[in-house]
Amino acid sequence: GNSVTQMEGPVTLSEEAFLTINCTYTATGYPSLFWYVQYPGEGLQLLLKATKADDKGSNKGFEATYRKETTSFHLEKGSVQVSDSAVYFCALRAGTSYGKLTFGQGTILTVHP
Amino acid sequence: DVKVTQSSRYLVKRTGEKVFLECVQDMDHENMFWYRQDPGLGLRLIYFSYDVKMKEKGDIPEGYSVSREKKERFSLILESASTNQTSMYLCASSSQGFGETQYFGPGTRLLVL
């Protein structure tokens, strides 16, 4: 079956530090890959996505590249801000599904001034 | 902007009560989903629907049922609430098509006493 594994959290960084959150997946076929973010007290919002191998998704300074050879979609940001403190979820959508998403367990990020 | 609304942000119910959680989307999406979110487990799919009156079980359907009588509305029903159903419940919707984004509501935090 499909699965997503994210790096264990919580992750605590100082402002302007470099961020990497690792995400690897197992899936049949050629999935689409997503990063969602959940700010405190809110639902999930799409942060970025990639639909085929070697695609790079980017938004708000965050980037992730779809690496089929390593089955990975790691999230990176060069300089985090306090406002980036949130829970980050990696997810995949397999092509044969009705749009079902399989999520990782989430990574809590806290950024200190 | 896509809007997904959920009927309550917080609910407190007693064991054995029948509980209705409602979700409405305003973008004419074909697909709608119910997830529950628990710390360390990420989001797990309960049920989804790809058309009016159509429903499919997700990964954890036991103890839940759903109803979709109109395209914009998807209800989650806990037939007899139990304490292990205390959780955050998230509704989402999407268009059909590979790579389509799921849009989430703000969530309902349910406490079953």
Side-chain angles (χ1 to χ4, degrees):
Chain A
N2 301 327
S3 67
V4 176
T5 303
Q6 287 180 237
M7 67 183 286
E8 292 285 335
V11 174
T12 303
L13 295 172
S14 297
E15 207 164 24
E16 300 183 3
F18 184 85
L19 169 70
T20 299
I21 301 178
N22 289 339
C23 171
T24 58
Y25 67 89
T26 302
T28 54
Y30 301 95
S32 292
L33 301 173
F34 303 81
W35 277 100
Y36 280 84
V37 59
Q38 185 179 35
Y39 298 104
E42 297 184 12
L44 274 69
Q45 304 174 23
L46 178 70
L47 182 58
L48 52 85
K49 70 179 183 181
T51 57
K52 61 182 188 298
D54 300 324
D55 268 2
K56 178 186 283 188
S58 61
N59 186 28
K60 300 182 181 178
F62 291 90
E63 294 182 341
T65 301
Y66 187 160
R67 301 284 187 204
K68 191 170 185 299
E69 64 275 14
T70 55
T71 61
S72 65
F73 193 53
H74 305 319
L75 183 69
E76 296 182 336
K77 187 173 185 182
S79 176
V80 293
Q81 305 300 312
V82 172
S83 57
D84 293 326
S85 298
V87 184
Y88 292 82
F89 292 93
C90 185
L92 71 82
R93 174 176 170 164
T96 55
S97 71
Y98 282 103
K100 291 166 53 180
L101 289 175
T102 300
F103 284 88
Q105 72 271 34
T107 302
I108 300 171
L109 171 65
T110 303
V111 180
H112 292 297
Chain B
D1 269 1
V2 174
K3 200 165 180 73
V4 180
T5 56
Q6 295 184 227
S7 49
S8 306
R9 292 299 300 270
Y10 301 95
L11 274 180
V12 180
K13 296 293 182 181
R14 297 281 181 190
T15 302
E17 281 193 77
K18 191 168 186 176
V19 181
F20 293 86
L21 304 181
E22 298 212 318
C23 174
V24 178
Q25 51 93 4
D26 66 357
M27 282 301 293
D28 203 35
H29 284 165
E30 294 85 2
N31 299 331
M32 296 189 75
F33 308 84
W34 275 106
Y35 296 90
R36 64 176 282 176
Q37 180 182 7
D38 300 289
L41 297 177
L43 278 73
R44 293 177 291 166
L45 182 64
I46 304 171
Y47 268 96
F48 68 101
S49 168
Y50 54 88
D51 202 351
V52 176
K53 297 192 185 296
M54 305 303 291
K55 60 185 178 185
E56 293 284 340
K57 293 180 180 178
D59 301 316
I60 50 165
E62 296 78 18
Y64 303 95
S65 62
V66 290
S67 172
R68 192 166 181 201
E69 297 296 319
K70 293 185 178 181
K71 190 175 186 180
E72 68 271 18
R73 189 180 297 269
F74 192 36
S75 301
L76 179 69
I77 304 153
L78 285 66
E79 297 288 345
S80 177
S82 64
T83 54
N84 63 13
Q85 293 178 309
T86 291
S87 187
M88 169 74 93
Y89 291 88
L90 291 164
C91 175
S93 71
S94 75
S95 296
Q96 289 181 352
F98 189 72
E100 287 296 327
T101 300
Q102 282 191 22
Y103 295 88
F104 283 80
T108 296
R109 189 167 293 281
L110 173 66
L111 173 62
V112 182
L113 300 173

